[in-house]
Amino acid sequence: MYFEEIEEKDSKFIARTYSRFRTDLCGGEGALLRSEDGRSYIDFGSGIAVNSFGVNDAEWKDAVIAQVNRIQHASNLYYTRPAAELAEMLCQKTGAEKVFFSNSGAEANECAIKAARKYSYDKYGENRFGIVTLKNSFHGRTMAALSATGQSVMHPACFAPYLQGFTHADPTAEGVRRAVDAGTCAVMLELIQGESGVNVLDRGEVRAIEALCKAKDILLIVDEVQTGNGRTGKLYAYEHYGIEPDIVTTAKGLAGGLPLGATMFFAKCGSVFCAGDHGSTFGGNPIACAGACSILRRLDKELFLEVQGKGEYLRTHLSRIRNVLSVTGMGLMLGIETTKPARELAQKCLDKGLIVLTAKNKLRLLPPLTVKKSEIDTALQILNEVISE
């Protein structure tokens, strides 16, 4: 009766904004999860790319518990060591000059939007506030991030009017070129569009967009909320493209399971914010930052090579499964297009003990970066049974 009790309370007291699968998760280790009634699952979702090193990672727990035993929160009117050390690590690893901490990817993107508009206002004055994003993008569910999102299905009339100043371009250099005008201050990209089907942008097109931005002094913002923190086999996905963004946003896997977002400002806009321009009560929370420091210091070249290898192994074997039409993505962020409805397949995988996600018409795989070869093989066996039957 464990699950039925949880389900009843959830239905009664929690706003019905989620279409949940009918199981609960209460514990586990690494990529192995369990429910209250003792069922076990291989986790190929990681809480939507959040649990970077899986569940119950010992080093992460030690760092978090040590900080819990010191102080759980201090407002941003004061300094804390975990926030300062995490910011230093991010800047050293990326070349960024400054970091702003928030609580989520949507908030990190809100910060980037404000920073881009302020940069342009300070330099060019009024009426240069437009931001070009791409069709099929997803940048979050707050009003500015939602307005930036290039999916009509995410813009129902009940939430209108949406914020002005956002244009959704075709995901090509020519599409962005047509959308840019004298009032444009920034272009905002997901290099892999996760929520709309794990769509990987073409390297040549992205480099051409970067060149366009540089020529017109338009800021290039890269949304690495889902792709960041080792997920694609690099620290951030923009490294695969050989580009230099002006602003990078990230969240999800950064703190290994705690709510933390970061907006990183590179040379051109390192000093864009002054005291009072932006803020967040919980941004840079010392417990979340301590957890993130534990994650970030272990994201090294050796791990990235492992992620790349595991990703290629998965891609190779997935492409051989009957009824698979295509496999997209990078590293351990993969999308599987099949001849069958994705939600139906995800439910069948769950019934067999494998947690997978969906992204539009595709299955989406986001296992912990430390997933074991034996767990990958078991997951492949289940996926083969479900997709090819």
Side-chain angles (χ1 to χ4, degrees):
M1 294 297 292
Y2 290 117
F3 173 73
E4 287 74 13
E5 292 173 2
I6 295 169
E7 184 180 41
E8 181 182 1
K9 290 181 180 180
D10 185 292
S11 299
K12 185 175 182 179
F13 298 112
I14 296 180
R16 297 184 181 182
T17 58
Y18 303 107
S19 179
R20 302 194 199 274
F21 289 94
R22 295 195 72 250
T23 192
D24 67 280
L25 299 173
C26 69
E29 185 172 350
L32 299 177
L33 301 180
R34 67 174 184 273
S35 64
E36 290 275 8
D37 61 5
R39 290 203 64 189
S40 61
Y41 302 93
I42 296 175
D43 181 17
F44 265 52
S46 301
I48 315 184
V50 169
N51 298 330
S52 297
F53 291 166
V55 177
N56 264 321
D57 176 72
E59 187 170 333
W60 179 85
K61 284 199 302 181
D62 287 345
V64 169
I65 292 169
Q67 185 58 45
V68 168
N69 288 330
R70 296 186 183 103
I71 185 170
Q72 75 272 33
H73 175 73
S75 84
N76 285 304
L77 297 174
Y78 311 99
Y79 301 94
T80 67
R81 182 177 295 278
E85 290 184 347
L86 178 59
E88 179 185 35
M89 291 172 68
L90 285 167
C91 288
Q92 288 179 343
K93 285 177 176 285
T94 64
E97 289 194 357
K98 300 287 184 183
V99 179
F100 180 88
F101 291 123
S102 53
N103 309 287
S104 68
E107 290 177 65
N109 286 335
E110 292 272 340
C111 176
I113 290 165
K114 289 177 67 176
R117 289 183 169 179
K118 185 173 188 295
Y119 170 86
S120 191
Y121 182 90
D122 289 346
K123 191 169 183 178
Y124 298 101
E126 298 180 352
N127 300 319
R128 194 177 186 271
F129 57 81
I131 296 177
V132 175
T133 66
L134 301 185
K135 293 177 181 177
N136 294 318
S137 61
F138 179 77
H139 297 292
R141 295 183 184 269
T142 53
M143 282 307 295
L146 192 59
S147 300
T149 292
Q151 298 184 58
S152 58
V153 70
M154 302 296 295
H155 297 154
C158 59
F159 297 137
Y162 294 89
L163 274 65
Q164 65 173 326
F166 295 97
T167 304
H168 307 128
D170 290 332
T172 64
E174 181 57 31
V176 172
R177 187 176 292 108
R178 288 196 301 265
V180 163
D181 59 25
T184 302
C185 71
V187 173
M188 188 173 188
L189 309 174
E190 291 173 286
L191 298 172
I192 305 176
Q193 297 176 323
E195 299 299 321
S196 62
V198 197
N199 304 315
V200 181
L201 298 191
D202 179 81
R203 188 174 189 270
E205 299 290 348
V206 170
R207 290 175 68 88
I209 292 170
E210 179 196 32
L212 173 68
C213 290
K214 288 185 182 297
K216 294 181 176 291
D217 194 24
I218 293 171
L219 296 185
L220 179 60
I221 304 170
V222 176
D223 177 343
E224 297 259 13
V225 171
Q226 189 168 149
T227 56
N229 311 301
R231 176 57 50 186
T232 67
K234 296 281 189 181
L235 183 59
Y236 292 105
Y238 72 82
E239 297 174 54
H240 292 286
Y241 288 78
I243 60 172
E244 298 178 349
D246 299 299
I247 301 175
V248 173
T249 62
T250 192
K252 288 192 181 292
L254 177 59
L258 295 173
L260 182 67
T263 308
M264 291 176 274
F265 303 104
F266 292 74
K268 188 180 285 188
C269 40
S271 59
V272 66
F273 279 151
C274 301
D277 282 338
H278 198 46
S280 171
T281 296
F282 290 102
N285 171 269
I287 296 174
C289 286
C293 286
S294 163
I295 297 295
L296 201 59
R297 68 172 55 99
R298 288 181 283 165
L299 296 178
D300 55 23
K301 291 182 179 179
E302 182 178 352
L303 179 62
F304 298 153
L305 288 173
E306 289 181 13
V307 170
Q308 292 171 24
K310 292 170 185 175
E312 284 304 310
Y313 182 81
L314 270 166
R315 181 190 293 272
T316 298
H317 288 275
L318 289 168
S319 64
R320 296 171 179 169
I321 295 176
R322 187 165 63 91
N323 298 325
V324 167
L325 302 177
S326 67
V327 182
T328 58
M330 290 184 186
L332 291 176
M333 180 179 181
L334 298 175
I336 312 169
E337 181 186 11
T338 78
T339 59
K340 300 181 179 182
R343 176 79 184 196
E344 176 185 314
L345 293 177
Q347 181 61 61
K348 289 183 177 180
C349 284
L350 187 70
D351 293 341
K352 291 177 177 289
L354 175 65
I355 292 174
V356 297
L357 305 173
T358 62
K360 290 293 176 64
N361 65 324
K362 296 181 182 179
L363 292 179
R364 181 171 33 155
L365 308 183
L366 299 165
L369 305 183
T370 50
V371 62
K372 298 175 182 176
K373 170 72 162 43
S374 59
E375 294 162 343
I376 292 175
D377 286 339
T378 302
L380 283 167
Q381 180 180 344
I382 294 171
L383 286 163
N384 183 53
E385 292 172 2
V386 167
I387 296 171
S388 65
E389 69 180 6

